[in-house]
Amino acid sequence: MVVFQKGQRIKSASGGEIEILDFLGAGGQGAVYKVKYGGEELALKWFHSNKLYENERFCRNIENNIRQGAPADCFLWPVELTEFISGSFGYLMKLRPPQYREFSHFLLAKVHFADISALINAALGIINGFRALHNRGYSYQDLNDGNFFVDPKTGDVLICDNDNVTPYGENLGIMGKCRYMAPEVVTGGKRPDCHTDRFSLAVILYMILFLNHPLEGKKTMCPCLTEELEYRFYGESPVFVWDDYDDSNRPVRGVHVNEIRLWKIYPEFVRKAFGRAFSHEALVGGDIEHRVIEKEWQEIFMQLRDMTMKCSCGSDTFFDVNEQSCECINCGKTIFRPMVLKVKKRNIVLASGSKLYTDCIEPECDDFRKISGEVVGSITDPTVLGLKNLTDTEWEAELPNGSARKFTKGQVVKLGRGVKIKFGDVSAEIN
């Protein structure tokens, strides 16, 4: 196995010089180094020498991915191959910024999201990354908790280990980790593809929200998880812990504490989506029609974001716009119905600090992170709220008495029930 030392130099496939700066870590596939190349600091992933990575198809696939480029900017995508040394090789990619933490550390409670808004952004980042990947005609094939780095403050996501990505319909022998593989892949009935990716994606999203695996409950509580038991629990006869018709694998009190507590606080439409994603048909039947696709997950998490607001205790909570009041999921305080901006099918809770995301008022916008407005309190009276225009587009607000006024960038529309706002071609009303 090739091991590099600090200061050692190797060549890129194009003949450029790569200087080894530091060792960053190692895993089952290979080791990662910090390097300098072309005046820029990058990461080098070097594969352990074995038959898989000596396979010409594997190398050519990475080469092809480099030519095609990353599907989205959240991918730490290969940018150049290296020379071969002792039967193995590596590739260069961007370095992970220091504020990004391993997703597995969130699951182990070593790192926590700053708030629910950051958590939702992380889910949306992963969803949109895989939507872009599948729209490009690729499948990831080895989706698991080691594939993501997340900024706990913002929820921004980076997706790594992209050397397993192949065009749809192709497979290089990578099967994945058992706990994240679709049941039909575990049993050998199917090779990984975009449909099995969607099962793995649902597992990751469930773990983000509920901090446990969706198939691990009472049935899987055993002292030693053998390959035979893994085959049974994740492939042959998996059972969702909250299955509507089978309670044989419920979370165990005193063991799955977070999962039991968190399942109750999320809205019913979120729980129903996971119920569908891990239904008996989607698990045992391998029915891809029951797999929730990326666009649906995107809509679900955007709806969840629309109803997220800050309680006076400082924590995020959810407000169902169909109700007149709710209890804060953190402190239990009763919160009475805030103002709500209705934009087509979207209902955005307007509380102090709430953001108006561009995808709400520009249907063609596919950037879930872009913000067009923010709810701010008056300097003289913080209970009086307004919507600040953060765009270069002029807004027009119409008061209940029929008077109208235009608002340019930086100006604030005073909020009140019955106020109508026209965001360019999109109209909305506060109720």
Side-chain angles (χ1 to χ4, degrees):
M1 183 174 68
V2 176
V3 178
F4 297 116
Q5 303 300 321
K6 183 177 180 179
Q8 188 173 347
R9 287 172 167 78
I10 61 173
K11 296 289 186 182
S12 70
S14 62
E17 188 174 78
I18 302 168
E19 180 185 358
I20 307 297
L21 298 180
D22 200 3
F23 172 77
L24 298 179
Q29 286 187 331
V32 180
Y33 298 86
K34 182 180 179 181
V35 301
K36 189 171 184 179
Y37 179 71
E40 182 181 5
E41 290 188 350
L42 299 169
L44 164 67
K45 181 172 181 179
W46 189 269
F47 295 109
H48 298 315
S49 181
N50 61 41
K51 291 183 179 179
L52 175 62
Y53 304 118
E54 292 169 7
N55 188 309
E56 186 177 349
R57 283 183 62 225
F58 184 83
C59 181
R60 295 291 81 79
N61 181 69
I62 297 177
E63 199 172 48
N64 181 64
N65 289 350
I66 291 171
R67 282 196 300 269
Q68 297 297 323
D73 59 8
C74 60
F75 288 88
L76 292 176
W77 200 254
V79 294
E80 187 162 355
L81 290 175
T82 70
E83 63 180 331
F84 272 78
I85 300 175
S86 300
S88 193
F89 71 103
Y91 66 84
L92 299 170
M93 58 184 167
K94 288 184 179 179
L95 274 171
R96 165 176 58 102
Q99 71 270 26
Y100 285 80
R101 307 295 297 274
E102 294 179 28
F103 177 57
S104 59
H105 289 177
F106 289 82
L107 302 179
L108 295 171
K110 293 181 179 179
V111 183
H112 301 277
F113 285 104
D115 49 32
I116 289 176
S117 295
L119 180 152
I120 293 172
N121 278 341
L124 283 168
I126 293 171
I127 292 163
N128 281 272
F130 281 87
R131 183 182 177 193
L133 186 81
H134 293 153
N135 286 345
R136 180 72 73 84
Y138 289 119
S139 61
Y140 192 87
Q141 308 198 4
D142 186 20
L143 187 54
N144 60 72
D145 62 4
N147 301 141
F148 309 104
F149 295 112
V150 185
D151 183 338
K153 289 185 179 180
T154 64
D156 289 342
V157 171
L158 293 173
I159 303 173
C160 61
D161 289 340
N162 297 293
D163 40 78
N164 297 321
V165 171
T166 59
Y168 180 63
E170 295 185 22
N171 182 269
L172 298 171
I174 303 293
M175 301 304 287
K177 292 184 180 179
C178 195
R179 296 175 69 228
Y180 300 90
M181 287 161 28
E184 63 269 27
V185 177
V186 176
T187 60
K190 189 176 184 182
R191 285 185 174 273
D193 60 16
C194 65
H195 300 297
T196 64
D197 272 359
R198 286 174 180 142
F199 174 85
S200 305
L201 175 61
V203 171
I204 293 294
L205 295 176
Y206 184 90
M207 295 175 84
I208 288 176
L209 265 59
F210 305 110
L211 300 175
N212 197 55
H213 194 285
L215 306 181
E216 293 174 2
K218 182 167 59 176
K219 284 181 69 173
T220 61
M221 293 286 291
C222 52
C224 181
L225 198 60
T226 63
E227 287 187 11
E228 181 182 351
L229 289 175
E230 284 189 337
Y231 182 88
R232 183 194 308 167
F233 296 148
Y234 304 115
E236 187 178 53
S237 54
V239 177
F240 179 40
V241 293
W242 301 110
D243 189 280
D244 289 336
Y245 307 101
D246 186 348
D247 63 359
S248 65
N249 196 29
R250 287 286 186 262
V252 178
R253 296 194 178 278
V255 178
H256 307 118
V257 178
N258 286 325
E259 185 176 23
I260 293 170
R261 178 181 64 87
L262 293 168
W263 181 253
K264 299 173 185 176
I265 71 172
Y266 281 94
E268 185 181 13
F269 68 87
V270 174
R271 299 196 299 267
K272 281 187 173 181
F274 284 109
R276 178 185 160 201
F278 301 118
S279 66
H280 180 79
E281 293 80 7
L283 292 173
V284 179
D287 185 351
I288 62 173
E289 295 302 319
H290 287 79
R291 299 269 160 86
V292 181
I293 65 174
E294 294 84 357
K295 189 174 187 302
E296 292 176 83
W297 282 125
Q298 184 182 46
E299 292 170 353
I300 288 163
F301 278 90
M302 282 181 172
Q303 184 180 349
L304 187 62
R305 186 175 66 180
D306 289 347
M307 64 187 294
T308 301
M309 63 173 286
K310 288 283 185 191
C311 172
S312 59
C313 71
S315 295
D316 282 342
T317 191
F318 307 118
F319 196 96
D320 184 344
V321 299
N322 297 311
E323 302 293 334
Q324 292 304 308
S325 66
C326 75
E327 290 185 356
C328 173
I329 61 176
N330 179 62
C331 70
K333 175 185 175 181
T334 298
I335 301 172
F336 294 99
R337 191 181 191 278
M339 288 179 282
V340 175
L341 183 71
K342 184 170 180 57
V343 189
K344 295 186 176 181
K345 295 181 179 180
R346 303 277 289 272
N347 291 283
I348 300 99
V349 171
L350 298 175
S352 182
S354 294
K355 305 290 191 297
L356 176 64
Y357 288 89
T358 305
D359 55 63
C360 296
I361 59 174
E362 293 182 15
E364 71 280 1
C365 177
D366 201 36
D367 183 356
F368 70 93
R369 295 168 296 187
K370 190 176 180 182
I371 297 170
S372 285
E374 182 179 8
V375 178
V376 295
S378 167
I379 296 175
T380 56
D381 184 356
T383 62
V384 177
L385 301 179
L387 182 62
K388 187 175 184 179
N389 184 351
L390 301 178
T391 75
D392 294 322
T393 302
E394 192 174 64
W395 296 352
E396 184 176 347
E398 181 184 325
L399 301 180
N401 64 10
S403 63
R405 180 187 160 189
K406 297 183 185 297
F407 293 82
T408 57
K409 186 173 186 177
Q411 294 185 313
V412 178
V413 181
K414 184 178 178 180
L415 300 180
R417 302 187 197 278
V419 172
K420 298 176 181 178
I421 307 176
K422 194 170 184 181
F423 305 100
D425 296 328
V426 175
S427 297
E429 183 172 356
I430 300 172
N431 56 43

